[in-house]
């Protein structure tokens, strides 16, 4: 996507939402959050479908379609109201995106890319490990798990992120509070055990938050360690 287009893309997607609060949120989120472009860059390398765990309002799916991603997309989220909105917008604009009301603890059968954006810290440590194993099992050879999350570290970025998460829950935008902020090793270890090759990098963009992107690839031709 050319550099001069993000503002126009954000506006086009935001204008599809009937509520003004959603339009304002979506426009700002898509303009300033670097996660969507990071996912688009990875999935452009391979024509595999994508499973979006914790998809919320479906912004990643809408952004990927705007970016030329034509493969299958399936988003799941436990917030039924957000799923209903995403479904309605996808149907109204013939975007061919599937959205399911479901829990991250019971992932559907799938093989392809997997996106897990800002989900882990809403789960206890043990549940995080299960989800990472289950998500990794759905990554096809040549595809990747793209994970964005806060990492537990010293410093002002982490403290500010914790405050932001508290505000989101207190304002009722998020239905669940943050439970456990993982350290880097808590993410890398299960992914490596599942046969993926994780690469961890900061993904702060223009935000002050302590976010990192982990792109964990399964080598082409490699076996999947556990059937989804």
């Amino acid at each position: 996507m050319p550099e001069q287009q993000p503002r126009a893309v954000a506006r086009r997607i935001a204008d599809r939402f009937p509520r003004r609060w959603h339009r304002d949120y979506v426009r700002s989120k898509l303009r300033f959050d670097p996660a969507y472009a990071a996912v688009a860059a990875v999935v452009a390398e391979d024509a595999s479908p994508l499973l979006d765990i914790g998809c919320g309002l479906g912004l990643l799916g809408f952004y990927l379609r705007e970016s030329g991603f034509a493969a299958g997309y399936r988003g799941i989220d436990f917030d039924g109201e957000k799923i209903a909105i995403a479904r309605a917008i996808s149907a109204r604009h013939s975007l061919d995106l599937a959205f399911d009301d479901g829990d991250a603890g019971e992932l559907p059968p799938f093989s392809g890319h997997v996106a897990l954006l800002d989900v882990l810290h809403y789960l206890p440590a043990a549940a995080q490990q299960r989800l990472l194993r289950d998500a990794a099992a759905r990554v096809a050879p040549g595809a990747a798990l793209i994970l964005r999350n806060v990492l537990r570290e010293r410093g002002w970025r982490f403290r500010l992120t914790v405050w932001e998460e508290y505000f989101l829950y207190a304002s009722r935008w998020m239905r669940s509070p943050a439970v456990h902020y993982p350290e880097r090793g808590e993410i890398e270890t299960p992914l490596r055990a599942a046969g993926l090759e994780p690469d961890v990098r900061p993904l702060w963009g223009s935000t002050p938050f302590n976010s990192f992107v982990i792109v964990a690839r399964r080598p082409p031709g490699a076996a999947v360690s556990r059937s989804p």
Side-chain angles (χ1 to χ4, degrees), residues 9 17 24 27 36 46 64 75 79 89 126-127 155-156 161 165-166 185 195 201 224:
V9 169
F17 287 78
D24 292 343
R27 190 178 299 110
Y36 303 101
D46 182 274
L64 290 177
D79 191 326
I89 292 173
W156 66 268
T161 307
E165 288 292 339
Y166 174 80
R201 299 183 183 184
V224 179

Side-chain angles (χ1 to χ4, degrees), residues 16-30:
R16 298 168 184 166
F17 287 78
R19 300 177 187 173
R20 180 175 179 178
W21 155 242
H22 284 153
R23 291 195 299 271
D24 292 343
Y25 167 78
V26 170
R27 190 178 299 110
S28 176
K29 185 74 170 172
L30 291 178

Side-chain angles (χ1 to χ4, degrees), residues 50-55 73-77 83 98-101:
L50 182 135
L51 176 65
D52 184 7
I53 303 170
C55 65
Y73 168 96
R74 186 172 187 180
I76 63 170
D77 199 282
I83 287 294
F99 293 99
D100 296 329
D101 186 353

Side-chain angles (χ1 to χ4, degrees), residues 141-180:
L145 166 62
I146 309 103
L147 186 154
R148 196 270 291 276
N149 214 85
V150 177
L151 294 184
R152 179 182 293 275
E153 293 184 331
R154 295 177 181 271
W156 66 268
R157 283 185 178 274
F158 177 67
R159 293 194 298 271
L160 183 61
T161 307
V162 171
W163 181 89
E164 185 231 9
E165 288 292 339
Y166 174 80
F167 172 78
L168 289 175
Y169 177 64
S171 67
R172 299 186 180 182
W173 176 246
M174 300 303 299
R175 291 177 55 187
S176 299
V179 176
H180 175 71

